[in-house]
Amino acid sequence: MAIKDKFFGNALDSFTTVSLAVLLVITAVMLAQHGAMALQEKGASVSGKELADEMYQKRLEQDKKIYKEVQRLFGMRMYTAAEEVLQKVQRDHPDNPRSFIYQARLQYNTGKMVEAISSYRQAVDSEPDFVDNNTPLFLGKEIMDHLVAAKTTLAQELKSRPKDEEVRKALDELLYLQRRVAGGCE
Amino acid sequence: MSRFKLPDLSIITGIVLGGGAVMLTLFGNPVNSGICISCFLENLAGALQLQDSVRMSYIRPELVGFLLGAFFMAKQNRRFRVTGGSSPLIRFFLGFFMIVGCGVFIGCPIKMLLRLGAGDLTAVAALLGMLFGIWLGGKYLRAGSVLDRAQNLPTINGYILPGIGFLLLLFLFLKPAFVQQGFSGPAAQHAPLWISLAVGLLIGGLAQRSGLCITGGIRNFFLFREKTLFSGVIAIFVSALMVSLVSGQFNLGMEAQPGAHHSHLWSFLAMVLVGLAAVIVDGCPFRQVIKAGEGDVDAGITCFGMVTGAAMVITWQLRSTSAGPVFNGQIATLLGLIFCLTVILSYRKARVKR
C-alpha cells in the first residue's frame, strides 16, 4: 500500500492523520516551551543542586556555631569538659546528627572503642552524607582511620575474650561502617 | 601470511562492557557498579517518582543507551522482529522477582562480575548461587518446562519500549518538574551525561549483535557446552579485573567492600532466584533490556516487571543494605523462588498433557 493511501486513503484516514499531526505539533511546542522555562530556571526543578549547596553551607555554619565550645575543649584535650558541653548541646539540638560524630571522637580518644563505633553508626545512619564524598558533610576519611585503628584493638580483645558478644557486635558494626565508607549503591 | 582474526563479537562486547563499566566508575558512577541494571532501574523508578528515595533517583543515560543502541542496531541490520504474547503476567512477575533477587544481593549479574573483578569476595556466594540457579533452570528446560511460544505481532508493539527510551532521553535533556534527581547519595554519583549515553549506546548495539547475556552464556555452556556467549561472560570479568587493577580500584577481600554485605546465605539464595528466573524468562536483566530494544514485546513486559520490582524493592524494603538483608527482602526472595518453581511445575505439566 502506498504511503499516501495509508494516511489519506479515505476521509477517516485523512482526519486521523491530520489530527495526529496537529497533536504532535502542539505537544512539541508545549515541550519546547517547558524546556525553555526549565533552562531559564537553570534546571532547578530537577536537581535542586544550588538549593542543596546553600542548605549544606547553612548547616556547616550552624554546626560550627553549635559545636564551637565542644571543638575548643576537644582541641585542648579536655575530654571530660567537652563531653559535658556536648551533652548540653544534645539536649538543646536533639535532631542534629553531628553530635554523634563528636560523641564518637570523644569516645575514641578516651579509649572507648566499642562505644565510639556505635556512635559512628548512629551518625552515619541518621546522616548518610557523612560518608558521601560528594557532599561537604563527608567525614569518611576520619571515620575510616578510626575504624582501622579500632579494628586492631577489637580483634585483640576478641582473641582474649572470644565469647564477648559486645566486642563481636562492635566488630560487626565496624565492618558494616567500613562498607558504608567504601561507598557504592545503597 | 596468516590473516588477522578478530575475536568473536561476544568477547568484544564483554571487553567493552566490563572495561567500560569500570571506566564509568572513574568518571563518577558509584564504585563497583559502573553498570548495574537493577541499581539503574531503582534510580529510574526514583526519577519517575515510583519510589521516594531521592538519594536513589536519576535517569541513568546508560540504561537509555542500552535500549536505544539495541534498537538502532536491530533496525540497521533488519533484525527488528516484533514478537510477543508469551505468558505476559508470568514474565512480568519473573522480571519483578529478578530485581528483588538483585536487590537482596545488591547488584545484577553484571555487577556481580564487576564486584568479583574488583576483588570483592563477598560476591563469590552470589556467583555460586547464580550458577546453581542456572544449572537448575537448565535441568528444568531439558525436562520440558518452557514458557509459551511467542508469535509475530504488528510492528507498532515493538516501537513502544524504544519510544519510552526516547521519552526518557527527552526527560534527561528537558528536565521536567516531575522527574526528580538526588543531589547526594548514589544518584549524585554519575559520569557525565554524554559519556554515559555514548557508552550505553555502544554496549547496547554490540550486545544486540552478539546476543551477550550473563545467564544465557552460562546456561548454554551447562546445556550444550557452547562457549560463544560464555566467552563474552568471561571477557566481562577479565576486562573488569584488568581495568580495576590498572586504575587502582582493585581491593581483594571481604572487608570494606562498597555496596556489599556479609550475609552469604542470602546472597546465594538471591542469586539462585535471579539465575532461575533468568533461565525461565530467557535472559538476564541486561538481556531483557536489549531484547526489548530489538522488538521483543515479551522482554518489554519483563522490563515493566523489573521497573515495578525496582520501585517496590525500595518502597517495601525488599532488599539488602550494607548491614545485610532486610526481613522483607528475605521473605520476597523466598516468595520469588516459590513463584519460579510453581511456574516451572505448571508448565511442565502443561507440556506433558499436550
Side-chain angles (χ1 to χ4, degrees):
Chain A
M1 192 193 293
I3 289 182
K4 196 180 168 190
D5 285 342
K6 195 168 184 177
F7 291 110
F8 301 100
N10 59 33
L12 186 62
D13 286 347
S14 302
F15 170 77
T16 312
T17 305
V18 171
S19 304
L20 198 60
V22 170
L23 287 171
L24 276 171
V25 170
I26 294 172
T27 311
V29 169
M30 285 176 68
L31 280 172
Q33 276 181 338
H34 180 90
M37 276 168 63
L39 276 178
Q40 272 177 358
E41 291 165 18
K42 291 185 179 173
S45 55
V46 175
S47 71
K49 179 90 179 98
E50 282 165 14
L51 267 177
D53 288 345
E54 205 177 297
M55 180 198 79
Y56 282 128
Q57 215 46 50
K58 268 187 192 167
R59 273 185 64 181
L60 286 171
E61 279 167 24
Q62 195 188 26
D63 285 359
K64 211 174 174 182
K65 268 188 210 163
I66 295 174
Y67 297 103
K68 194 179 168 189
E69 187 60 11
V70 182
Q71 180 66 45
R72 192 183 69 81
L73 294 166
F74 185 80
M76 293 164 69
R77 298 186 178 201
M78 295 168 70
Y79 299 134
T80 316
E83 202 172 338
E84 279 168 18
V85 179
L86 181 64
Q87 281 170 3
K88 188 181 175 305
V89 173
Q90 283 175 329
R91 280 195 298 273
D92 295 344
H93 304 276
D95 295 331
N96 191 316
R98 193 176 287 271
S99 67
F100 295 121
I101 293 285
Y102 278 103
Q103 192 172 294
R105 283 175 185 163
L106 285 168
Q107 287 161 337
Y108 177 81
N109 278 277
T110 48
K112 297 173 187 164
M113 300 292 186
V114 173
E115 289 88 342
I117 290 163
S118 176
S119 299
Y120 272 132
R121 177 164 190 168
Q122 273 179 295
V124 170
D125 284 347
S126 19
E127 180 50 274
D129 287 351
F130 286 143
V131 286
D132 185 343
N133 62 5
N134 277 317
T135 72
L137 300 185
F138 180 67
L139 292 167
K141 200 179 170 310
E142 176 202 309
I143 297 174
M144 190 57 117
D145 287 347
H146 282 189
L147 292 176
V148 170
K151 196 175 162 198
T152 320
T153 315
L154 285 178
Q156 278 170 354
E157 279 189 38
L158 197 65
K159 251 187 190 171
S160 56
R161 290 177 285 150
K163 285 185 179 169
D164 191 328
E165 277 304 311
E166 204 180 38
V167 180
R168 196 175 287 275
K169 190 172 162 262
L171 207 53
D172 275 351
E173 281 195 319
L174 185 147
L175 293 172
Y176 159 74
L177 282 169
Q178 281 194 325
R179 294 195 291 272
R180 286 300 304 269
V181 178
C185 282
E186 287 172 0
Chain B
M1 196 176 85
S2 62
R3 273 180 63 197
F4 173 71
K5 199 178 163 210
L6 274 173
D8 187 88
L9 194 59
S10 68
I11 296 180
I12 295 174
T13 312
I15 292 170
V16 174
L17 207 162
V22 185
M23 293 299 284
L24 282 170
T25 65
L26 298 176
F27 283 115
N29 274 19
V31 197
N32 281 11
S33 51
I35 289 173
C36 171
I37 302 299
S38 62
C39 300
F40 287 4
L41 287 171
E42 286 168 14
N43 291 171
L44 174 67
L48 301 178
Q49 302 199 44
L50 301 172
Q51 53 95 344
D52 61 357
S53 169
V54 185
R55 295 171 59 81
M56 296 280 284
S57 300
Y58 176 50
I59 297 176
R60 293 273 172 192
E62 297 90 342
L63 198 58
V64 178
F66 296 153
L67 190 63
L68 296 183
F71 171 68
F72 289 133
M73 187 59 87
K75 288 298 280 182
Q76 177 70 22
N77 292 291
R78 296 171 190 275
R79 290 187 180 190
F80 187 74
R81 296 196 188 102
V82 184
T83 57
S86 158
S87 323
L89 264 179
I90 286 174
R91 285 181 189 274
F92 178 91
F93 280 105
L94 286 172
F96 180 99
F97 283 120
M98 268 203 289
I99 297 301
V100 167
C102 295
V104 171
F105 162 61
I106 318 188
C108 73
I110 291 178
K111 183 171 168 178
M112 183 192 76
L113 293 177
L114 296 178
R115 279 172 59 176
L116 285 168
D120 179 354
L121 296 181
T122 62
V124 172
L127 176 68
L128 294 175
M130 198 179 75
L131 290 176
F132 178 70
I134 297 170
W135 174 81
L136 192 64
K139 288 270 171 201
Y140 288 126
L141 281 186
R142 281 216 161 142
S145 282
V146 184
L147 295 184
D148 303 315
R149 185 175 286 182
Q151 49 192 322
N152 290 333
L153 294 176
T155 320
I156 187 173
N157 289 281
Y159 284 114
I160 292 176
L161 258 287
I164 291 174
F166 279 113
L167 202 62
L168 292 175
L169 195 60
L170 210 61
F171 290 168
L172 266 169
F173 288 103
L174 288 182
K175 303 178 176 181
F178 56 85
V179 170
Q180 71 178 358
Q181 182 183 323
F183 46 78
S184 65
Q189 295 168 12
H190 56 79
L193 195 154
W194 286 108
I195 294 177
S196 301
L197 190 60
V199 171
L201 284 167
L202 178 66
I203 292 173
L206 284 171
Q208 194 284 321
R209 283 286 280 167
S210 62
L212 183 67
C213 169
I214 314 289
T215 52
I218 298 169
R219 178 202 59 194
N220 290 358
F221 184 71
F222 279 160
L223 282 178
F224 326 109
R225 294 284 177 265
E226 205 277 318
K227 290 177 193 156
T228 315
L229 292 182
F230 187 65
S231 326
V233 178
I234 300 292
I236 297 176
F237 169 73
V238 174
S239 59
L241 174 70
M242 293 297 172
V243 184
S244 292
L245 281 168
V246 170
S247 61
Q249 295 204 75
F250 187 78
N251 171 28
L252 187 68
M254 287 211 179
E255 291 164 17
Q257 295 294 355
H261 60 74
H262 283 189
S263 299
H264 307 305
L265 174 66
W266 287 104
S267 289
F268 178 87
L269 286 175
M271 288 314 258
V272 170
L273 170 60
V274 175
L276 189 55
V279 170
I280 307 171
V281 90
D282 192 22
C284 65
F286 172 69
R287 182 83 188 119
Q288 295 303 319
V289 176
I290 301 298
K291 281 165 78 175
E294 61 188 40
D296 187 332
V297 177
D298 290 332
I301 299 283
T302 312
C303 284
F304 279 118
M306 295 199 302
V307 174
T308 311
M312 294 303 118
V313 153
I314 304 289
T315 309
W316 292 348
Q317 295 287 302
L318 311 176
R319 59 173 180 146
S320 296
T321 65
S322 298
V326 178
F327 174 76
N328 299 5
Q330 296 173 345
I331 293 294
T333 303
L334 296 177
L335 285 177
L337 286 169
I338 291 169
F339 182 76
C340 287
L341 294 176
T342 310
V343 167
I344 282 165
L345 208 60
S346 63
Y347 269 82
R348 174 141 171 73
K349 277 185 180 167
R351 181 154 281 235
V352 169
K353 271 182 195 170
R354 275 178 229 150

